[in-house]
Amino acid sequence: SGQPYGLACPTSGQCTVVDAAGQEVTFSPASPAGATPERVDNGNVLSGVSCPVSTQCSAVDFGGREVTFDPLSPAPPPAVTLDPTDSLYGVACPTATQCTAVDGDGSEITFDPTTPGSPPISMIDATSVPSAVACPSVSQCTAADRSGREVTFNPAAPGGASPVTIDAGHELFGIDCPSTSQCTAVD
């Protein structure tokens, strides 16, 4: 198996991790031994995962694609290209029908993982690379970037979002927002 890049726990008894080898492992945090890696993305680096419910996860990769799968029975459909020109670095799914991914160009892509199609790509951070995203609601997401900034936006209307420095001089690589009024990022 490869280096872990993303983790999502839809319940207290179930977590899914994705790795650099395009695999996922779903396990109980109380007894993780024996969990078996399953390939879900043809060997591409999976850079993030979000599981809004215990039977559905969406992962993104460095090839600009997403793949949605049932972590309890990972026989996913082929990955779908969301951004043909850039890597995707993080994904957050506040519901089973809405996910938002961030890419290396400073853009966000909001899509329905059950029918991704070709969703629009919208700029949210023109001067840095968003490395993680969290969406505590369907109308609010916050991305953390590699310049120590965060940018909060409405995924239905992301234009006009303004990055704010929260950790000058440090790269932020993870963010979680348990509510629309609180986020925590790590560098």
Side-chain angles (χ1 to χ4, degrees):
S1 76
Q3 174 184 358
Y5 273 96
L7 171 70
C9 300
T11 70
S12 62
Q14 178 183 326
C15 292
T16 297
V17 66
V18 295
D19 71 18
Q23 301 175 115
E24 70 83 28
V25 178
T26 298
F27 60 94
S28 167
S31 58
T36 304
E38 298 284 339
R39 185 166 312 281
V40 292
D41 189 7
N42 217 16
N44 294 297
V45 174
L46 289 171
S47 52
V49 65
S50 183
C51 304
V53 295
S54 62
T55 57
Q56 181 183 321
C57 293
S58 293
V60 295
D61 72 18
F62 284 171
R65 295 177 301 261
E66 76 85 25
V67 61
T68 297
F69 59 94
D70 179 346
L72 303 176
S73 179
V80 175
T81 299
L82 296 178
D83 188 340
T85 63
D86 213 340
S87 297
L88 298 176
Y89 289 98
V91 64
C93 304
T95 70
T97 58
Q98 181 181 323
C99 294
T100 297
V102 291
D103 74 11
D105 285 338
S107 297
E108 70 84 31
I109 304 154
T110 297
F111 61 98
D112 179 343
T114 63
T115 56
S118 297
I121 300 171
S122 301
M123 181 61 61
I124 56 167
D125 188 348
T127 60
S128 191
V129 176
S131 52
V133 64
C135 299
S137 78
V138 296
S139 60
Q140 183 179 318
C141 294
T142 299
D145 75 20
R146 294 189 182 170
S147 296
R149 298 178 310 173
E150 67 83 16
V151 58
T152 298
F153 59 95
N154 180 341
S162 296
V164 175
T165 300
I166 59 172
D167 192 8
H170 296 98
E171 296 180 4
L172 300 173
F173 284 101
I175 189 165
D176 191 27
C177 301
S179 72
T180 58
S181 61
Q182 186 214 345
C183 291
T184 303
V186 293
D187 65 19

